[in-house]
């Protein structure tokens, strides 16, 4: 590997998927892994194989289907975890076992181990992993709050036991850029054998410094960045892949490191991860936010027309945006729609195109111009509804009152049978959700209800995201419509359908999370 190459280790499917509510289905994980592989991600952390039968099946399948990426699985510091991880990743052409243990005083107290006992455990588990796999990553969790001497000692043990990558996690997002660079630099200078392994950086964004800390770590000598698409991850998330990759590309003059990422694939995967995880991307999010390349004010628009470099440091095309945004209208045909979808980074089969085209025509009848974001919302809505779903919305009628409650009448098909119900509520959405609950009684708790306008104007489509939780099982649903209440009903029903599928799987033991990576006892 050349000295200025930085490996990109994506953990969307492990650290990202672990964030509450971001659970993905087996097929969704496979699809995202395929996209990561295709865009040039060096290492994909595909999951935590011992966590559940579902995780194991997903990691094994991703390993079997991998093309260029190395497939990695996570394992705690015990033989059972490591064996299970190997069983899953061994199918890949290139594989990796990633094993970790919390080394800071706070984290050592969880399994109640002394420094010596933990050092011994690290020696045994890394040796065991290395006997199975010739590519082993070891992480001292909460490294940035671990005593310096102890951190050096355990890293040396891991290297001697055969670790090939040493990852330095800032588990709680505590460090700052200067400290991050300094820590990696001093570790490489101090720990015997450090020059024979790759140092990695794994940052969380609790103080909004994950990207800066990761880039600083590279300046300090790290040659692997751990990150997720859209910065998905627990609490404030992980380092965002798109941010570090575009920062290295755009400011190559002061950060002379390269990655193997095809940046034109960024927007497509960002949209897909947002859809399947149910986590909408904030409009002003760097690189992938809806406004990241929008120029609203007159002065900016004027400056852009004179020379785009006045206000643009990256070209939209470089991240996979079409650059032009010519709206479609009701006279646009199927070929124009397919063309637009391709420009937006979506590859759709003929059947899917047929479905999307029907929705597109319906939308174009209601809306004068159909913008790029409308088209994206159509694709998302299409992937959110399935004819096999047990619950289907047939029709709805809502009456809003100024002085009194709203009333919603819902007609649905439940397992093929027509059922209807009317309910009052505190506003049209509340009345609608209550009517749906009358038709399909459930105890699911609404964890998130989010509405965002896709484009401008009173005829704009609204995208609605709903996240439900029932007995520890979480499911998200999304829908888009020019009518916010219809989009809300569809998103709610979509989430209920996914909950039904997940509950069935948990019943079969397929998706239940048996252990958590924090469950260190
Ligand atoms: O944040 C963290 O410490 C982790 C480890 C498992 C590497 O995700
Ligand atoms: Zn993490």
């Amino acid at each position: 590997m050349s000295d200025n190459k930085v490996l990109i280790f994506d953990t969307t499917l492990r650290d990202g998927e672990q964030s509450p509510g971001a659970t993905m289905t087996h097929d969704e994980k496979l699809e995202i892994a395929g996209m990561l592989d295709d865009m040039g991600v060096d290492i994909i952390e595909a999951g935590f194989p011992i966590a559940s039968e579902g995780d194991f099946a997903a990691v094994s399948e991703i390993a079997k289907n991998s093309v260029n990426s190395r497939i990695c699985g996570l394992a705690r510091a015990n033989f059972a975890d490591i064996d299970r991880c190997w069983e899953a990743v061994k199918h890949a052409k290139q594989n990796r076992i990633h094993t970790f243990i919390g080394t800071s005083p706070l984290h050592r107290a969880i399994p109640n181990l002394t420094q010596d006992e933990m050092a011994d455990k690290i020696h045994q588990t890394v040796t065991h992993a290395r006997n199975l796999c010739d590519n082993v990553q070891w992480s001292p969790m909460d490294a940035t709050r671990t005593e310096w001497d102890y951190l050096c000692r355990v890293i040396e043990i891991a290297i001697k036991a055969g670790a090939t990558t040493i990852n330095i996690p800032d588990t709680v997002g505590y460090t700052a850029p200067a400290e991050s660079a300094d820590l990696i630099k001093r570790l490489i200078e101090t720990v015997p054998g450090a020059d024979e392994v790759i140092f990695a950086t794994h940052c969380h964004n609790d103080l909004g410094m994950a990207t800066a800390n990761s880039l600083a770590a590279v300046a300090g000598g790290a040659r692997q960045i751990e990150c997720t698409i859209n910065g998905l991850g627990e609490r404030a998330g992980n380092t965002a892949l798109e941010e570090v990759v575009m920062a290295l590309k755009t400011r190559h003059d002061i950060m002379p490191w390269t990655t193997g990422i095809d940046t034109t694939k960024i927007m497509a995967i960002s949209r897909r991860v947002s859809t399947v995880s149910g986590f909408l991307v904030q409009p002003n999010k760097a690189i992938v936010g809806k406004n990241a390349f929008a120029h609203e004010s007159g002065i900016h628009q004027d400056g852009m027309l004179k020379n785009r470099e006045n206000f643009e440091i990256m070209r939209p095309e470089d991240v996979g945006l079409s650059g032009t945004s010519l709206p479609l209208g009701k006279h646009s045909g199927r070929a124009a729609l397919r063309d637009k979808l391709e420009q937006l980074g979506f590859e759709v089969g003929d059947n899917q195109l047929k479905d999307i085209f029907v929705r597109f025509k319906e939308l174009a009848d209601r809306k004068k111009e159909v913008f790029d974001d409308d088209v994206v919302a159509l694709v998302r809505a299409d992937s959110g509804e399935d004819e096999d779903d047990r619950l289907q919305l047939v029709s709805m009628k809502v009456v809003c009152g100024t002085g009194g409650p709203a009333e919603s009448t819902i007609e649905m098909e439940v397992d093929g049978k027509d059922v209807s119900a009317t309910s009052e509520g505190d506003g049209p959405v509340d009345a609608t959700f209550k009517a749906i609950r009358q038709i399909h009684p459930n105890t699911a708790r609404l964890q998130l209800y989010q509405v965002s306008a896709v484009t401008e104007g009173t005829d704009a489509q609204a995208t609605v995201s709903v996240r439900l939780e029932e007995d520890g099982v979480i499911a998200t649903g999304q829908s888009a419509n020019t009518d916010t209440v219809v989009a809300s009903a569809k998103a709610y029903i979509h989430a209920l359908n996914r909950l039904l599928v997940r509950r069935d799987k948990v019943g079969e033991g397929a998706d239940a999370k048996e252990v958590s990576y924090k469950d260190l006892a």
Side-chain angles (χ1 to χ4, degrees):
M1 187 174 104
S2 84
D3 253 13
N4 68 352
K5 166 102 197 259
V6 174
L7 298 172
I8 295 296
F9 175 110
D10 182 277
T11 183
T12 306
L13 298 173
R14 198 278 297 169
D15 220 339
E17 208 251 351
Q18 206 169 275
S19 80
T23 332
M24 299 174 200
T25 64
H26 181 86
D27 291 348
E28 288 165 351
K29 287 182 193 173
L30 249 64
E31 184 192 345
I32 299 295
M35 293 175 91
L36 291 168
D37 198 328
D38 187 47
M39 80 190 290
V41 163
D42 299 282
I43 304 115
I44 299 173
E45 188 163 51
F48 180 21
I50 205 160
S52 68
E53 290 299 325
D55 268 38
F56 179 83
V59 179
S60 312
E61 199 74 9
I62 290 169
K64 284 178 197 155
N65 291 338
S66 58
V67 181
N68 295 313
S69 304
R70 184 177 289 281
I71 306 302
C72 170
L74 185 70
R76 293 167 301 177
N78 66 64
F79 287 11
D81 270 45
I82 292 169
D83 291 345
R84 191 76 176 141
C85 179
W86 173 241
E87 282 308 307
V89 298
K90 72 177 184 195
H91 306 286
K93 286 183 216 109
Q94 304 180 79
N95 35 40
R96 173 176 294 184
I97 295 175
H98 175 194
T99 179
F100 75 99
I101 194 162
T103 51
S104 66
L106 279 166
H107 283 256
R108 286 201 302 269
I110 302 173
N112 199 15
L113 292 178
T114 65
Q115 288 198 354
D116 287 347
E117 284 165 346
M118 183 168 281
D120 197 39
K121 202 175 179 61
I122 293 164
H123 171 74
Q124 287 175 22
T125 50
V126 176
T127 306
H128 183 69
R130 189 53 208 267
N131 285 339
L132 297 169
C133 181
D134 61 8
N135 195 300
V136 172
Q137 171 164 326
W138 181 73
S139 296
M141 186 161 77
D142 206 14
T144 52
R145 294 190 301 166
T146 299
E147 306 93 319
W148 167 252
D149 287 344
Y150 190 58
L151 187 61
C152 291
R153 177 178 166 201
V154 287
I155 291 175
E156 184 180 350
I157 290 171
I159 294 175
K160 284 207 175 114
T164 46
T165 298
I166 299 292
N167 176 37
I168 304 299
D170 183 29
T171 305
V172 289
Y174 179 70
T175 197
E179 191 179 61
S180 175
D182 184 61
L183 178 62
I184 300 280
K185 183 169 176 289
R186 284 193 300 135
L187 284 172
I188 293 175
E189 284 166 0
T190 313
V191 178
D195 51 347
E196 281 154 36
V197 299
I198 289 179
F199 271 75
T201 176
H202 176 112
C203 298
H204 281 263
N205 204 27
D206 299 66
L207 291 171
M209 293 192 281
T211 296
N213 288 337
S214 303
L215 294 170
V218 172
R223 287 295 174 270
Q224 176 179 302
I225 298 179
E226 307 210 351
C227 46
T228 58
I229 301 295
N230 298 341
L232 197 67
E234 283 204 81
R235 307 186 309 279
N238 290 61
T239 299
L241 178 147
E242 63 278 7
E243 292 180 15
V244 283
V245 167
M246 288 312 290
L248 289 175
K249 185 177 165 95
T250 309
R251 296 307 313 272
H252 194 69
D253 53 333
I254 55 163
M255 294 185 280
W257 301 287
T258 54
T259 72
I261 299 296
D262 175 354
T263 62
T264 63
K265 307 252 159 112
I266 285 178
M267 278 314 299
I269 192 163
S270 162
R271 289 180 181 129
R272 197 68 194 122
V273 167
S274 169
T275 304
V276 302
S277 66
F279 278 56
L280 294 180
V281 174
Q282 76 188 62
N284 57 335
K285 161 87 179 60
I287 320 295
V288 291
K290 173 169 168 285
N291 294 350
F293 291 90
H295 302 275
E296 281 292 325
S297 81
I299 296 178
H300 282 213
Q301 284 185 349
D302 185 51
M304 281 291 292
L305 288 174
K306 291 194 172 107
N307 178 355
R308 58 197 279 176
E309 283 183 21
N310 279 334
F311 289 104
E312 226 166 59
I313 57 166
M314 296 165 273
R315 295 181 322 142
E317 296 84 346
D318 288 348
V319 299
L321 281 168
S322 60
T324 59
S325 185
L326 286 182
L328 299 173
K330 68 177 182 190
H331 300 298
S332 307
R334 205 177 292 199
L337 179 63
R338 186 190 280 281
D339 201 47
K340 177 64 83 183
L341 288 168
E342 275 168 12
Q343 279 174 29
L344 293 170
F346 294 107
E347 275 171 40
V348 294
D350 287 346
N351 283 343
Q352 204 190 352
L353 179 68
K354 229 163 102 201
D355 289 349
I356 298 169
F357 189 66
V358 172
R359 287 163 202 262
F360 162 71
K361 280 287 179 191
E362 281 166 13
L363 182 65
D365 274 342
R366 277 181 277 142
K367 230 174 157 273
K368 221 168 82 206
E369 292 175 317
V370 179
F371 297 99
D372 286 4
D373 288 325
D374 287 317
V375 176
V376 171
L378 279 178
V379 184
R380 286 184 166 161
D382 182 70
S383 57
E385 289 165 37
D386 197 325
E387 356 180 283
D388 295 337
D389 283 346
R390 289 176 55 191
L391 311 174
Q392 308 267 0
L393 179 68
V394 177
S395 70
M396 60 186 288
K397 191 167 175 195
V398 178
V399 182
C400 297
T402 40
E407 190 184 87
S408 178
T409 301
I410 301 284
E411 194 190 336
M412 283 171 65
E413 229 179 72
V414 179
D415 292 327
K417 275 202 211 123
D418 263 352
V419 197
S420 63
T422 298
S423 182
E424 288 190 344
D426 193 2
V429 175
D430 186 48
T432 298
F433 284 14
K434 280 183 177 147
I436 295 171
R437 268 201 302 277
Q438 271 185 41
I439 294 173
H440 175 68
N442 64 83
T443 54
R445 212 169 52 82
L446 185 67
Q447 278 195 336
L448 173 101
Y449 170 72
Q450 200 169 315
V451 184
S452 63
V454 174
T455 46
E456 289 80 33
T458 47
D459 66 348
Q461 288 201 96
T463 291
V464 176
S465 286
V466 164
R467 189 192 306 145
L468 300 175
E469 185 267 339
E470 195 175 35
D471 301 329
V473 182
I474 293 174
T476 53
Q478 266 195 1
S479 188
N481 199 286
T482 46
D483 186 318
T484 311
V485 189
V486 174
S488 302
K490 287 188 166 182
Y492 186 53
I493 293 170
H494 179 210
L496 286 172
N497 276 314
R498 295 185 87 185
L499 208 53
L500 285 172
V501 173
R502 294 228 164 107
R503 269 214 319 243
D504 289 350
K505 284 202 177 138
V506 170
E508 294 158 13
D511 233 351
K513 292 267 177 206
E514 283 140 20
V515 290
S516 140
Y517 87 118
K518 289 196 187 115
D519 173 18
L520 299 170

